[in-house]
């Protein structure tokens, strides 16, 4: 199976695997709900993560993304990346808030990390403190620029747009990204089982329609990323902006090519559901064979269904 993508029963290829290696974080963002907290002593070890990735590679997965929490709070993060890189995936990426990126960027690059996505919603110190409950803006910016310096390309900035908080800061963030050779991703707040605070969504949800219309009018080129939920990229004055609107995007499910692993080691077939998870880590810890683990992966893939709200 190594030369072809494995597909689910809707003929969607499984191209990437996103592994949440911790749900610990050094910030406390207002839109993060810290569901399913796992003690650090129960987190998957580097060897367990390696074995999961080895099976993923065997069934045709080409890309790995590490996420959290914040993956960089794990002191063994460079070891984890190094082990995964030994499997020769096409792409290994990591999502972080950037606070510890200055410390780890060079080591991660040398270990085999290809690129990073950094969550950064504002360049205003007071707004940053309001959103994250921490005063780490300068550390985050230093880490981001270090990632650019060592060649973790492309560095992408994930900016969640929130009503009456940062919707007027898109221009400043775009210029910061463009001037430093980074890509800006604007993210619309979504409702899901993982983030079910209706009041929060009502208070802060900001539809991206008006922003996207302005971008379309300004762009010299627009491209659609088929296997990234059909999201659009706008090229403006030497910079790039992507729009991420999963719920409003009718092609989100049709073009989904990602499988996920939860912090407690379960296969999560769908971003927006928690009722069809498949237990994995206990089988890894019990020393079950690669054939048995492959079957469990395939069970998870066969649980993938288009999401109906």
């Amino acid at each position: 199976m190594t030369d072809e993508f494995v597909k689910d029963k809707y003929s969607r290829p499984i191209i990437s695997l996103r592994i949440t290696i911790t749900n610990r974080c050094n910030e406390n963002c207002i839109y993060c709900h810290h569901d399913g907290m796992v003690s650090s002593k129960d987190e998957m070890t580097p060897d367990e993560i390696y074995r999961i990735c080895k099976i993923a590679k065997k069934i045709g997965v080409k890309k790995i993304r590490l996420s959290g929490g914040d993956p960089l709070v794990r002191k063994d993060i460079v070891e984890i990346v190094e082990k995964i890189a030994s499997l020769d995936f096409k792409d290994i990426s990591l999502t972080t808030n950037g606070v510890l990126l200055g410390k780890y960027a060079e080591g991660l690059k040398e270990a085999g990390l290809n690129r990073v996505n950094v969550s950064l919603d504002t360049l205003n110190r007071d707004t940053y403190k309001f959103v994250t409950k921490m005063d780490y803006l300068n550390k985050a910016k230093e880490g981001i620029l270090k990632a650019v310096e060592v060649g973790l390309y492309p560095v992408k900035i994930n900016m969640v747009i929130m009503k009456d908080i940062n919707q007027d800061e898109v221009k400043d963030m775009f210029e910061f990204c463009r001037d430093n050779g980074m890509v800006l991703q604007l993210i619309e707040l979504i409702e899901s089982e993982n983030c079910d605070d209706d009041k929060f969504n009502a208070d802060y949800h900001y539809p991206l329609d008006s922003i996207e219309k302005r971008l379309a009018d300004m762009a010299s080129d627009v491209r659609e990323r088929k296997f990234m939920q059909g999201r659009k990229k706008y090229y403006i004055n030497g910079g790039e902006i992507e729009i991420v609107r999963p719920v409003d995007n009718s092609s989100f499910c049709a073009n989904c090519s990602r499988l996920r692993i939860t912090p407690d080691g379960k296969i999560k077939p769908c971003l927006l559901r928690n009722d069809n998870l498949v237990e994995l880590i206990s089988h890894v810890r019990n020393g079950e064979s690669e054939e048995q683990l492959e079957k469990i992966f395939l069970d998870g893939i066969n649980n993938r269904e288009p999401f109906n709200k």
Side-chain angles (χ1 to χ4, degrees):
M1 289 191 202
T2 54
D3 295 327
E4 298 291 337
F5 296 124
V6 66
K7 296 181 179 180
D8 65 17
K9 56 191 176 184
Y10 297 92
S11 298
R12 296 174 299 179
I14 309 304
I15 297 173
S16 64
L17 181 69
R18 182 170 186 147
I19 307 174
T20 302
I21 62 172
T22 183
N23 47 22
R24 291 180 289 140
C25 191
N26 46 15
E27 295 188 324
N28 188 25
C29 295
I30 58 177
Y31 48 73
C32 184
H33 291 249
H34 309 289
D35 296 281
M37 291 302 291
V38 174
S39 168
S40 59
K41 67 181 177 62
D42 295 322
E43 291 174 347
M44 294 177 285
T45 68
D47 285 336
E48 290 166 351
I49 295 167
Y50 168 82
R51 193 156 188 231
I52 289 170
C53 290
K54 187 178 181 183
I55 301 301
K57 174 80 173 182
K58 187 177 179 183
I59 65 171
V61 169
K62 306 298 183 188
K63 301 179 180 182
I64 299 291
R65 169 166 295 181
L66 302 177
S67 66
D70 194 285
L72 301 189
V73 303
R74 287 196 55 154
K75 295 179 180 179
D76 55 1
I77 184 60
V78 173
E79 179 188 357
I80 291 170
V81 169
E82 192 170 40
K83 285 182 179 293
I84 295 171
S86 72
L87 294 168
D88 195 28
F89 284 93
K90 178 181 178 182
D91 181 74
I92 304 172
S93 60
L94 180 149
T95 300
T96 175
N97 58 34
V99 173
L100 295 172
L101 201 47
K103 176 180 179 181
Y104 285 116
E106 189 168 2
L108 289 168
K109 176 66 177 177
E110 291 174 355
L113 189 71
N114 297 111
R115 57 191 180 85
V116 290
N117 283 38
V118 183
S119 300
L120 182 69
D121 301 318
T122 180
L123 296 171
N124 179 286
R125 184 180 178 188
D126 290 335
T127 305
Y128 188 95
K129 287 193 287 186
F130 173 76
V131 171
T132 68
K133 304 297 185 284
M134 298 293 176
D135 190 12
Y136 292 157
L137 177 59
N138 286 339
K139 279 189 174 183
K141 288 174 67 177
E142 289 168 7
I144 290 165
L145 296 178
K146 184 66 175 179
V148 173
E149 178 188 325
V150 303
L152 289 169
Y153 179 84
V155 175
K156 293 188 176 182
I157 300 300
N158 294 343
M159 182 182 186
V160 176
I161 303 299
M162 292 165 282
K163 182 173 65 178
D164 299 329
I165 295 179
N166 68 345
Q167 79 269 18
D168 295 327
E169 296 185 42
V170 173
K171 182 175 182 291
D172 290 343
M173 188 68 78
F174 171 69
E175 290 175 351
F176 171 68
C177 291
R178 181 195 60 195
D179 293 348
N180 290 287
M182 302 180 294
V183 175
L184 175 59
Q185 295 191 140
L186 302 182
I187 300 175
E188 184 169 331
L189 280 171
I190 64 172
E191 294 175 302
S192 75
E193 291 181 11
N194 295 333
C195 190
D196 57 2
D197 187 337
D198 292 335
K199 185 178 185 307
F200 176 87
N201 197 68
D203 287 346
Y204 295 114
H205 180 259
Y206 188 87
L208 296 184
D209 303 73
S210 60
I211 292 176
E212 187 159 19
K213 185 179 185 306
R214 289 199 300 273
L215 296 179
D217 290 342
M218 297 167 61
S220 57
D221 189 18
V222 181
R223 300 176 191 173
E224 185 172 304
R225 303 183 65 193
K226 180 179 178 183
F227 288 117
M228 285 300 293
Q229 296 82 49
R231 70 176 63 159
K232 291 183 178 178
K233 296 181 69 169
Y234 297 88
Y235 295 81
I236 302 169
N237 297 329
E240 294 180 39
I241 301 184
E242 293 187 29
I243 298 292
V244 184
R245 300 198 297 175
V247 170
D248 293 335
N249 184 344
S250 61
S251 63
F252 176 70
C253 287
N255 290 299
C256 179
S257 60
R258 179 178 292 167
L259 199 66
R260 293 169 170 82
I261 305 293
T262 65
D264 55 348
K266 293 181 173 65
I267 296 173
K268 182 176 173 67
C270 176
L271 170 65
L272 299 170
R273 292 176 59 179
N274 283 322
D275 61 352
N276 61 349
L277 305 184
V278 176
E279 169 60 28
L280 175 63
I281 193 61
S282 63
H283 299 280
V284 174
R285 290 172 177 167
N286 288 338
E288 295 184 20
S289 68
E290 289 191 3
E291 290 74 19
Q292 289 169 313
L293 296 180
E294 183 177 342
K295 181 182 182 302
I296 293 167
F297 254 89
L298 294 175
D299 287 344
I301 290 168
N302 287 330
N303 274 6
R304 284 162 50 88
E305 293 182 347
F307 177 69
N308 292 312
K309 223 175 158 183

